[in-house]
């Protein structure tokens, strides 16, 4: 398999041309570029070595389930592609529509909740994490896997035709084990996973231009969706599509297990320090379990992203904002100490290592080196998100 040569075009030119000028029979190309930008932002170590980056189709499919979820509202499905008439009837607007509709229905049955446009992000975060998967009914897990596989298969089409001709921007995906290196592989990539290989200059565009790619993708997605015929309902407006595509989850998932683990540590005599106010936290339950990266930015209930914090500071000062660079630097010792304490609880330590491997890749083999390593990784990740998305900070 050949990796396309590095482009000499100005930064963002290739991506802008695909989003604005490529022919589109579905919103796949828009979703592909947005997903790669999200992967670049959410996997902070990818691309730092300057090597071609291998991204599994399933990692892209995870984001696709979140993006397309708002258009699978049982009360008002919104078409996302042109439909052709066949002998068996009209074709689906997107090939994984049946699997996504089934997943949405089972999720609503399981949670006994009304349809929420941003629940796709919650489902993605919950069901791609091994320990979380075990807490859901097997039928729901199976439906997620089937929808993910169907979406991963659909990813091949925009990968092939991005740029207008066969494999002109991306090489034909192949299993990671069969892809010539050296490569920088996604942390969750397995040898058998078919991967999209992105040339270093293009990957740097995804890293540096994350906010711009998201904004342009959403703009073009709104225009495209509003241009489609919606057979069963009134036409959708660009404003309605924009509202769906920018909906973000709130903190609705229970963190009972994580809080119980931390309460036990406190009852055993451990004392936590709020990384933001530096207040000592020594009473079970008398703390907020803070998301370092707020749920509204990324719904990550990963253990490294959950730290005991001062309730007053968390609720009145931090809220949905990200820490400033100076606060992140000042928080390093407290974060390292928090992670070191987590490692003293066997179940919490296992969950922490699992989440670290999925987000940051390989960790130091020595247990004592993990807490400072993770504190550095977490703060660097937050800084990248804050700069890449121009988010408010405290």
């Amino acid at each position: 398999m050949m990796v396309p040569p590095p482009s000499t075009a100005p930064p963002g030119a290739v991506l802008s041309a695909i989003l604005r000028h490529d022919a589109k029979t579905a919103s796949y190309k828009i979703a592909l570029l947005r997903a790669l930008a999200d992967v670049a932002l959410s996997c902070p170590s990818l691309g730092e070595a300057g090597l071609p980056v291998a991204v599994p189709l399933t990692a892209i499919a995870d984001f696709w389930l979140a993006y397309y979820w708002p258009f699978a509202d049982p009360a008002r499905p919104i078409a996302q592609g042109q439909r052709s008439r066949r002998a068996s009837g009209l074709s689906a607007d997107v090939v994984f529509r049946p699997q996504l509709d089934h997943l949405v229905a089972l999720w609503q049955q399981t949670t006994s909740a009304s349809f929420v446009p941003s629940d796709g992000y919650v489902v993605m975060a919950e069901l791609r994490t091994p320990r979380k998967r075990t807490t859901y009914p097997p039928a729901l897990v199976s439906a997620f896997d089937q929808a993910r596989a169907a979406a991963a298969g659909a990813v091949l089409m925009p990968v092939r035709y991005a740029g207008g001709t066969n494999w002109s921007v991306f090489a034909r995906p192949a299993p990671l084990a069969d892809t010539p290196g050296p490569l920088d592989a996604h942390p969750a990539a397995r040898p058998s996973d078919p991967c999209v290989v992105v040339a270093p200059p293009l990957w740097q565009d995804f890293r540096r231009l994350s906010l711009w790619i998201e904004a342009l993708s959403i703009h073009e997605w709104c225009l495209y969706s509003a241009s489609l015929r919606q057979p069963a309902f009134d036409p959708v407006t660009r404003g309605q599509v924009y509202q769906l595509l920018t909906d973000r989850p709130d903190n609705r998932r229970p963190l009972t297990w994580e809080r119980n683990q931390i309460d036990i540590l406190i009852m055993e005599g451990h004392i936590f320090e709020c990384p933001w106010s530096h207040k000592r936290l020594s009473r079970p339950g008398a703390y907020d379990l803070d998301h370092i990266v707020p749920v509204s930015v990324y719904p990550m209930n990963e253990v490294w992203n959950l730290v005991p914090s001062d309730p007053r500071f968390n609720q009145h000062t931090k809220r949905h904002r990200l820490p400033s660079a100076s606060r992140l630097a000042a928080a390093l010792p407290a974060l390292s100490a928090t992670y070191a304490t987590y490692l003293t609880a066997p179940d919490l330590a296992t969950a922490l290592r699992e989440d670290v491997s999925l987000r940051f890749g390989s960790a130091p083999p020595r247990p004592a080196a993990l807490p400072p390593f993770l504190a550095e990784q977490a703060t660097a990740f937050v800084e990248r998100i804050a700069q890449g998305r121009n988010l408010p900070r405290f």
Side-chain angles (χ1 to χ4, degrees), residues 83-86 88-92 231:
R83 306 176 71 189
S84 59
R85 186 168 297 280
R86 300 172 179 173
S88 58
L90 282 175
S91 64

Side-chain angles (χ1 to χ4, degrees), residues 335-346 348-350 352-353 356 362-375:
L335 289 174
S336 181
T338 294
Y339 299 141
T341 303
Y342 285 177
L343 290 174
T344 65
L348 201 56
T350 298
L352 178 63
R353 291 192 181 96
V356 169
S362 58
R366 291 190 304 110
L370 179 58
F373 164 84
L374 186 50

Side-chain angles (χ1 to χ4, degrees), residues 4 47 56 149 166 193 220 222 309 349:
N166 284 359
D193 287 339
E220 293 296 325
C222 292
S309 66

Side-chain angles (χ1 to χ4, degrees), residues 37-168:
D38 268 328
V39 171
L41 188 68
S42 60
C43 294
S45 62
L46 272 182
E48 290 184 345
L51 298 172
V53 172
V55 181
L57 298 184
T58 51
I60 298 171
D62 285 336
F63 281 105
W64 277 30
L65 294 182
Y67 301 158
Y68 284 93
W69 189 280
F71 306 121
D73 184 347
R76 190 180 185 186
I78 296 175
Q80 283 300 293
Q82 299 174 12
R83 306 176 71 189
S84 59
R85 186 168 297 280
R86 300 172 179 173
S88 58
L90 282 175
S91 64
D93 56 323
V94 292
V95 297
F96 56 94
R97 168 77 71 174
Q99 294 85 354
L100 179 59
D101 287 345
H102 181 54
L103 175 60
V104 169
L106 285 181
W107 176 255
Q108 289 188 261
Q109 291 175 18
T110 301
T111 60
S112 301
S114 58
F115 182 84
V116 178
S118 58
D119 266 356
Y121 286 97
V122 178
V123 172
M124 173 185 73
E126 292 283 293
L127 293 180
R128 70 178 179 183
T129 303
R131 72 175 185 283
K132 298 283 188 179
R133 286 167 62 92
T134 62
T135 66
Y136 289 96
L140 178 66
V141 174
S142 176
F144 172 78
D145 291 342
Q146 291 173 24
R148 189 192 205 197
V155 170
L156 284 171
M157 185 177 296
V159 170
R160 178 174 182 173
Y161 292 111
T165 57
N166 284 359
W167 317 116
S168 60

Side-chain angles (χ1 to χ4, degrees), residues 210-282:
S210 172
L211 178 62
W212 173 81
I213 294 168
E214 180 182 59
L216 183 56
S217 296
I218 290 174
H219 172 72
E220 293 296 325
W221 208 325
C222 292
L223 292 175
Y224 178 76
S225 297
S227 73
L228 293 172
R229 181 185 296 274
Q230 305 293 336
F233 303 96
D234 294 334
V236 296
T237 66
R238 285 176 288 176
Q240 290 170 328
V241 178
Y242 179 84
Q243 186 174 6
L244 292 173
L245 288 172
T246 56
D247 192 60
R248 289 293 180 268
D250 58 21
N251 189 13
R252 289 176 288 110
R253 305 309 303 158
L255 298 173
T256 307
W257 181 84
E258 291 84 354
R259 292 190 67 92
N260 287 343
Q261 293 288 320
I262 292 169
D263 283 346
I264 291 172
L265 287 169
I266 292 175
M267 287 187 287
E268 291 174 348
H270 294 280
I271 297 175
F272 291 92
E273 177 186 336
C274 173
W276 321 123
S277 71
H278 303 288
K279 178 180 179 180
R280 288 163 59 87
L281 306 170
S282 58

